[in-house]
Amino acid sequence: MKTTITVNGEARTLDVDPRTTLLDALREHLRLTGTKKGCDHGQCGACTVLVNGTRINSCLSLAVMHDGDEVTTIEGIGTAEKLHPLQQAFLTEDAFQCGYCTPGQICSAIGMLAEIEAGLPSHASADVAAAPQLNAEEIRERMSGNICRCTAYPQIVEAIKRAAGEMA
């Protein structure tokens, strides 16, 4: 089944089995291996990408569902010459250890910061009518879908806080 997805700013037409996940389309058809296959059940967040600016687990979504959508993977965030502020903050704060979860963590953090900017509350928001605050509790709740088996969570929280401050 043909589907056209704009990936990292480039329109790509794929001819995929309708059962192909977005994750497998990205990794196996487009050779964008930055997005990691972790649990393949939507539980670890290693496969997180941005679709039209919203973070999703690409292992739980079929590629054909995204015909006409814009997908951003870790390859579309920053460059080797000019890192995205979150990529630089992860380096500065030593927020990755094995690095396997890092692409998903960074994509998720970008989506999370957009959610906060849009005023969307989380389960950690004490007042759902008030603008969410970027504090450690809010970051931990919003990033809870991304698992780091090396337990670099304190550094990840610091990296997100640092990047948010630099991006403001």
Side-chain angles (χ1 to χ4, degrees), residues 40-124:
D40 215 18
H41 291 87
Q43 297 174 346
C44 74
C47 66
T48 303
V49 297
L50 299 166
V51 175
N52 301 326
T54 300
R55 56 188 172 156
I56 69 162
N57 291 331
S58 60
C59 72
L60 296 180
S61 188
L62 300 175
V64 296
M65 295 167 59
H66 297 288
D67 188 52
D69 284 348
E70 291 189 25
V71 174
T72 304
T73 69
I74 194 67
E75 288 92 346
I77 298 170
T79 64
E81 296 78 29
K82 185 170 180 11
L83 296 176
H84 184 281
L86 268 161
Q87 292 171 314
Q88 184 59 56
F90 266 62
L91 285 171
T92 302
E93 297 293 338
D94 195 22
F96 60 93
Q97 291 177 15
C98 81
Y100 196 83
C101 71
T102 304
Q105 297 272 3
I106 289 173
C107 286
S108 189
I110 290 171
M112 178 206 75
L113 291 173
E115 291 166 10
I116 288 177
E117 181 72 24
L120 300 175
S122 77
H123 289 289

